Amino acid sequence: MKREELKALDLTPEQIDQIMAIHGKDMANQVDGDQLKDQIKELEQQLSDRDKSLKKLKKDHQENEDLQKQIADLEALNKQNKQSYEQKIQDMERNTAVDKVLNDYHVRNHKAVKALLDDQRITYKSGELTGLTEQLDTLKDKESYLFDLGSQEGGYHPKGGQSSTFYSSFTEAMKAGDVDAYIQAQANTKES
């Protein structure tokens, strides 16, 4: 996706920036997934190479009992390592899937939200997560500040700790798009 293509659709620069930001997040998730797949293939190839080497060594040295015991120990160790690698792969896939869902929910702080989730209720099997969206929906209702809900038209828009701006005229407030602040300031001066 290119900015020129979006400009051709008569989108405003702000809309183009928002679309490009979303597209950038999607591309980052895709890159993470590709890297994960490459790591999985590499680990599987390493395990396969080890198993082949051990089988060849075992076949070539059938008479030597000490060597046979070493090979048996190495096979057991390789089996244990394989299980460990498979668990790590499954954990990486699960964490990637959880992060993708958190991105889809526009979570502001993944680490904070993960700490509030009941990990025991989240299951990951065959690429499917269960139990996460229900928890996020509940959390979104109770702790909405953890989620980027976008700007909402009308209502109260705090300045984020900044001092409020005072306008000398209604026209100046209109140009700044901050009529609410002007009206509030006028009401406060009448009360004083």
Side-chain angles (χ1 to χ4, degrees):
M1 181 180 305
K2 296 181 181 176
R3 288 184 178 270
E4 293 78 26
E5 294 171 348
L6 296 173
K7 286 179 183 176
L9 296 173
D10 293 329
L11 297 175
T12 66
E14 293 82 19
Q15 291 172 326
I16 292 172
D17 290 342
Q18 290 173 349
I19 291 170
M20 293 305 287
I22 293 169
H23 181 66
K25 287 180 185 176
D26 289 344
M27 294 306 295
N29 288 338
Q30 184 178 2
V31 168
D32 290 344
D34 292 342
Q35 289 174 347
L36 181 62
K37 288 176 186 176
D38 291 343
Q39 287 177 345
I40 290 170
K41 287 179 185 177
E42 183 179 326
L43 291 173
E44 288 173 346
Q45 183 61 41
Q46 287 177 5
L47 289 173
S48 175
D49 291 345
R50 282 189 198 161
D51 290 342
K52 288 176 185 175
S53 296
L54 284 175
K55 284 180 184 178
K56 183 182 183 306
L57 190 60
K58 189 175 186 178
K59 184 178 179 184
D60 292 346
H61 300 284
Q62 289 181 351
E63 308 84 45
N64 191 340
E65 286 183 29
D66 289 339
L67 190 55
Q68 289 296 325
K69 185 178 179 335
Q70 268 186 325
I71 291 172
D73 291 344
L74 287 174
E75 284 176 335
L77 181 63
N78 277 351
K79 184 177 181 180
Q80 185 180 13
N81 285 343
K82 182 178 180 181
Q83 290 172 346
S84 174
Y85 287 142
E86 287 173 350
Q87 183 61 43
K88 285 180 183 178
I89 289 169
Q90 187 175 2
D91 290 345
M92 286 184 344
E93 288 175 344
R94 180 183 187 272
N95 289 338
T96 301
V98 168
D99 284 337
K100 183 178 181 332
V101 172
L102 293 178
N103 279 338
D104 292 345
Y105 269 75
H106 304 288
V107 171
R108 292 178 189 236
N109 185 337
H110 287 214
K111 190 174 185 178
V113 170
K114 283 181 181 179
L116 296 173
L117 297 174
D118 182 0
D119 204 40
Q120 300 297 323
R121 292 180 29 207
I122 301 171
T123 58
Y124 179 78
K125 291 183 182 174
S126 305
E128 292 293 322
L129 277 172
T130 56
L132 178 61
T133 56
E134 297 84 5
Q135 290 185 56
L136 287 174
D137 288 336
T138 302
L139 195 59
K140 196 172 189 178
D141 290 339
K142 292 181 180 178
E143 311 288 341
S144 63
Y145 64 91
L146 293 170
F147 300 85
D148 184 7
L149 303 175
S151 63
Q152 299 172 356
E153 294 299 318
Y156 176 63
H157 299 287
K159 295 285 186 191
Q162 300 172 356
S163 62
S164 52
T165 306
F166 293 100
Y167 300 102
S168 60
S169 70
F170 183 75
T171 307
E172 184 181 346
M174 286 285 292
K175 287 179 183 176
D178 199 9
V179 175
D180 290 338
Y182 178 78
I183 293 171
Q184 185 65 37
Q186 293 298 316
N188 289 341
T189 55
K190 288 181 183 179
E191 290 175 4
S192 300

